Amino acid sequence: MKYIDEYRDGELAQRIAARIRAEARPERDYRFMEFCGGHTHAISRYGVSDLLPANVQMIHGPGCPVCVLPIGRIDLAVKLALEEGVILCSYGDTLRVPASAGLSLLRAKAQGGDIRMIYSPLDALKIATDNPTRQVVFFAIGFETTTPPTALVIREAAARGLDNFSVLCCHVLTPAAIAHILAAPELDASTAVHLEGFVGPAHVSIIIGSQPYEDFAARYRKPVVIAGFEPLDVMQAILMLVRQVNEGRAEVENEFVRAVDRHGNLAAQGLMDAVFELRPSFEWRGLGEVAHSALKIRPALARFDAEARFGLSYQPVPDHKACECGPILRGQKKPIDCKLFGTVCTPENPMGSCMVSNEGACAAHYAYGRYKDIEVQAL
């Protein structure tokens, strides 16, 4: 298939791997974080780590939108479904994220909540149109990639005067999270992770462009290479990062030139700016409160804001004590460091959000790498 198989060429992968081995200096360690869960999935699926020298390590980041949802936000959605009697709509993976009291949206549905899986925000809008006597809430999650469609349906609901439609907005922002990780050594040594650079997200960067990463690349002296999701994209990005580290550079480079430019999708950015504004702070699972890292609906459109309409008040909830999802999202631990991984916690019975989505580090590692790692540990 043109432009797909070409980026999965095994012979070319071996050539890039040989170049990485040749250029990685044996006296130093290279620790790169792939922020995006799509890259985590690709690295696990295609065995990219197996092609790297021992001193080039990939660290999983918090770039899975389902994974970073804190329990308290899921609890708000459960409350809307079970106590307010709304039709709650959201994406499939969101329905399986564990909430308080052993619940999830899927289990709340089993208790009688009218909770519906959708593929597009437009599906939620149609449900509201078809059920004019019911309140319909779209539980909106995701990074900048999925934010424009949410903005679009809010604008459309306003144009149609759909007063039975609202959005529980949990959209979060990538650059703020990366900056938070880089600032961790200054804020709290216990959450610090030593990194040499980042593999920047692909789809997010199509929307926001490469420019937003330039400030913290310069401020924290960490290189960023934006990469596509195919294995050769990731490997080329790793080679570019190794070269930047060797040369003492800390720049934003773009491997994904076929889809990303410096300024991004200006029309999508304008739509988001018209509908949303920054929250002062937002809790991320694993990262805690991160300033200016999420969006809320502007006051002019408050009638479509479910938090305002139903008087919701967010309450933080601690994660399961035995679950290591938080440290995994911060890059401090690997999935196999969690004693629940692969035993109590599986994709069929997730104890933490990292095991829910196929972009979660635990789910990807379970599907593609856990048996090998367990065997290595046994040796």
Side-chain angles (χ1 to χ4, degrees), residues 143-259:
F143 297 110
E144 292 90 341
T145 313
T146 55
T147 306
T150 302
L152 187 65
V153 295
I154 292 173
R155 190 178 69 176
E156 182 67 18
R160 296 187 195 178
L162 279 179
D163 291 331
N164 67 323
F165 177 80
S166 59
V167 173
L168 179 58
C169 181
C170 293
H171 285 298
V172 290
L173 304 174
T174 303
I178 296 178
H180 183 83
I181 292 170
L182 290 172
E186 303 171 6
L187 301 174
D188 182 359
S190 68
T191 62
V193 178
H194 174 67
L195 299 171
E196 299 279 358
F198 282 88
V199 176
H203 293 157
V204 164
S205 300
I206 293 173
I207 302 297
I208 68 174
S210 62
Q211 186 176 16
Y213 309 106
E214 294 173 1
D215 178 64
F216 61 74
R219 183 188 311 174
Y220 297 103
R221 298 297 302 162
K222 302 295 182 183
V224 178
V225 176
I226 297 164
F229 287 131
E230 296 301 329
L232 295 192
D233 286 317
V234 178
M235 295 193 66
Q236 181 63 26
I238 294 169
L239 177 57
M240 293 165 72
L241 285 169
V242 168
R243 288 173 173 169
Q244 282 210 52
V245 171
N246 287 347
E247 296 167 10
R249 294 185 289 118
E251 302 171 2
V252 178
E253 293 184 317
N254 181 16
E255 183 277 336
F256 200 30
V257 292
R258 63 189 185 274

Side-chain angles (χ1 to χ4, degrees), residues 30-354:
Y30 301 82
R31 291 169 59 86
F32 303 130
M33 175 176 281
E34 83 276 0
F35 180 90
C36 186
H39 289 135
T40 299
H41 181 87
I43 289 168
S44 295
R45 178 180 180 183
Y46 296 105
V48 170
S49 295
D50 295 341
L51 298 176
L52 302 177
N55 62 333
V56 178
Q57 300 178 52
M58 300 306 298
I59 310 298
H60 307 313
C64 162
V66 171
C67 300
V68 300
L69 266 179
I71 292 174
R73 292 287 166 184
I74 305 294
D75 286 350
L76 291 181
V78 170
K79 175 182 174 66
L80 286 172
L82 293 184
E83 298 181 20
E84 299 292 343
V86 310
I87 300 175
L88 189 98
C89 305
S90 197
Y91 304 124
D93 283 346
T94 313
L95 272 55
R96 300 174 54 239
V97 179
S100 296
L103 284 174
S104 65
L105 285 171
L106 203 57
R107 290 174 178 173
K109 178 180 177 67
Q111 291 188 8
D114 193 343
I115 299 169
R116 307 186 189 186
M117 183 184 76
I118 58 172
Y119 295 96
S120 162
L122 288 172
D123 295 338
L125 204 65
K126 184 177 188 303
I127 291 171
T129 303
D130 293 344
N131 295 270
T133 62
R134 299 282 305 278
Q135 288 292 323
V136 176
V137 176
F138 170 46
F139 185 21
I141 73 159
F143 297 110
E144 292 90 341
T145 313
T146 55
T147 306
T150 302
L152 187 65
V153 295
I154 292 173
R155 190 178 69 176
E156 182 67 18
R160 296 187 195 178
L162 279 179
D163 291 331
N164 67 323
F165 177 80
S166 59
V167 173
L168 179 58
C169 181
C170 293
H171 285 298
V172 290
L173 304 174
T174 303
I178 296 178
H180 183 83
I181 292 170
L182 290 172
E186 303 171 6
L187 301 174
D188 182 359
S190 68
T191 62
V193 178
H194 174 67
L195 299 171
E196 299 279 358
F198 282 88
V199 176
H203 293 157
V204 164
S205 300
I206 293 173
I207 302 297
I208 68 174
S210 62
Q211 186 176 16
Y213 309 106
E214 294 173 1
D215 178 64
F216 61 74
R219 183 188 311 174
Y220 297 103
R221 298 297 302 162
K222 302 295 182 183
V224 178
V225 176
I226 297 164
F229 287 131
E230 296 301 329
L232 295 192
D233 286 317
V234 178
M235 295 193 66
Q236 181 63 26
I238 294 169
L239 177 57
M240 293 165 72
L241 285 169
V242 168
R243 288 173 173 169
Q244 282 210 52
V245 171
N246 287 347
E247 296 167 10
R249 294 185 289 118
E251 302 171 2
V252 178
E253 293 184 317
N254 181 16
E255 183 277 336
F256 200 30
V257 292
R258 63 189 185 274
V260 172
D261 62 24
R262 186 167 182 265
H263 300 290
N265 187 327
L266 297 179
Q269 293 171 32
L271 178 61
M272 290 189 293
D273 288 344
V275 174
F276 299 111
E277 63 183 17
L278 283 175
R279 293 179 186 262
S281 183
F282 191 85
E283 183 188 4
W284 293 53
R285 190 186 298 241
L287 300 185
E289 290 288 332
V290 182
H292 303 115
S293 65
L295 299 172
K296 64 178 181 178
I297 299 170
R298 289 189 178 276
L301 294 165
R303 65 189 186 280
F304 301 106
D305 185 344
E307 289 183 71
R309 173 172 290 188
F310 295 97
L312 300 178
S313 178
Y314 176 73
Q315 297 293 327
V317 179
D319 288 341
H320 189 292
K321 290 182 179 180
C323 177
E324 299 287 3
C325 190
I328 290 168
L329 289 169
R330 293 193 296 271
Q332 292 176 304
K333 293 188 176 183
K334 297 180 180 180
I336 56 172
D337 295 329
C338 180
K339 62 184 180 182
L340 302 182
F341 175 77
T343 55
V344 176
C345 184
T346 66
E348 293 75 26
N349 182 46
M351 301 301 294
S353 59
C354 296

